[in-house]
Amino acid sequence: MNKKVSKIGFFLLVLSISLAACKKDEKTTINSFKYNQKEVEIGTTLGFTYGQVAVPGVYWFAMEFLEKTLTVNYVNSYPDSISGTGDALLLTFLTNNSTEIPTGEYVFSTPGSDYTSFTFDGDFSGLTVGYEASNWENPSIIYISGGKVTVTKNADEYEFTFNLTTKINTTITGYYKGKPVIYAEKKKKSGNPQNWFPVTGL
């Protein structure tokens, strides 16, 4: 009986050590983006649809990945303004679908180029650094010069993987997985100033 108990105890000990080792090997992926050796944890992520561009069958989707230190203020359940201080990665996708950003690889589109599906627009994409709600008209912006974003959509869940280059010869990498709400074209809902990110240009 004692031998059986000892064997069971030994087996459980080995099992617990193995599980602990596996947990150490697993990398916890958080929603974040990195630039200039700084990692920014993503809090709120939301998007806006702007309808069809000048080319039939191609549609705008502006996605905003906000640092967790930024707060979105809502009026009538609609995003109305931002408060706080932090960074925000803004990417405007061009898609062939009017209701979602389909799964695929989206490459950088040079500013001024023709509108093409499965690209993200260089005119309306960038990294807003140290955004301050009290001084929202003059943010510091790092503009994107190249790269790609891989998008995976499963039901109402999105997965974005960023690998971008900037005009100041740096990189922006990152990952987001979640269920962002995508709203119809952004419209002012309150009597307060619409302090939003000017880099979107939309």
Side-chain angles (χ1 to χ4, degrees), residues 91-149:
L91 297 171
T92 299
F93 294 90
L94 295 171
T95 80
N96 60 357
N97 190 305
S98 63
T99 60
E100 64 180 34
I101 304 174
T103 294
E105 187 173 279
Y106 292 75
V107 296
F108 176 77
S109 176
T110 305
S113 61
D114 293 336
Y115 300 119
T116 306
S117 296
F118 291 95
T119 63
F120 64 96
D121 195 325
D123 281 318
F124 304 114
S125 298
L127 174 61
T128 302
V129 179
Y131 173 86
E132 295 182 24
S134 59
N135 187 32
W136 64 276
E137 291 182 313
N138 297 295
S140 176
I141 301 170
I142 298 176
Y143 290 97
I144 296 170
S145 61
K148 65 180 181 180
V149 181

Side-chain angles (χ1 to χ4, degrees), residues 43-54:
T44 302
T45 295
L46 47 77
F48 297 97
T49 62
Y50 290 90
Q52 186 172 267
V53 301

Side-chain angles (χ1 to χ4, degrees), residues 173-188:
T173 59
Y175 174 84
Y176 169 83
K177 185 176 183 179
K179 298 178 180 181
V181 178
I182 299 179
Y183 299 86
E185 183 176 356
K186 184 160 77 275
K187 297 178 182 178
K188 192 165 180 262

Side-chain angles (χ1 to χ4, degrees), residues 162-200:
F162 317 110
N163 191 351
L164 314 171
T165 56
T166 74
K167 288 187 176 181
I168 58 173
N169 297 318
T170 58
T171 60
I172 302 170
T173 59
Y175 174 84
Y176 169 83
K177 185 176 183 179
K179 298 178 180 181
V181 178
I182 299 179
Y183 299 86
E185 183 176 356
K186 184 160 77 275
K187 297 178 182 178
K188 192 165 180 262
K189 296 292 182 179
S190 71
N192 300 319
Q194 180 77 41
N195 61 326
W196 214 270
F197 303 100
V199 72
T200 58

Side-chain angles (χ1 to χ4, degrees), residues 1-45:
M1 182 68 176
N2 289 335
K3 288 184 178 180
K4 288 184 179 179
V5 171
S6 298
K7 287 182 179 179
I8 292 172
F10 178 75
F11 173 76
L12 291 175
L13 176 63
V14 171
L15 181 62
S16 63
I17 292 172
S18 298
L19 290 174
C22 288
K23 286 183 179 179
K24 285 183 179 180
D25 291 338
E26 289 177 0
K27 291 183 179 180
T28 302
T29 302
I30 63 171
N31 290 335
S32 67
F33 55 85
K34 299 177 182 178
Y35 72 97
N36 293 343
Q37 298 182 333
K38 176 184 178 181
E39 183 171 17
V40 176
E41 188 172 348
I42 297 171
T44 302
T45 295

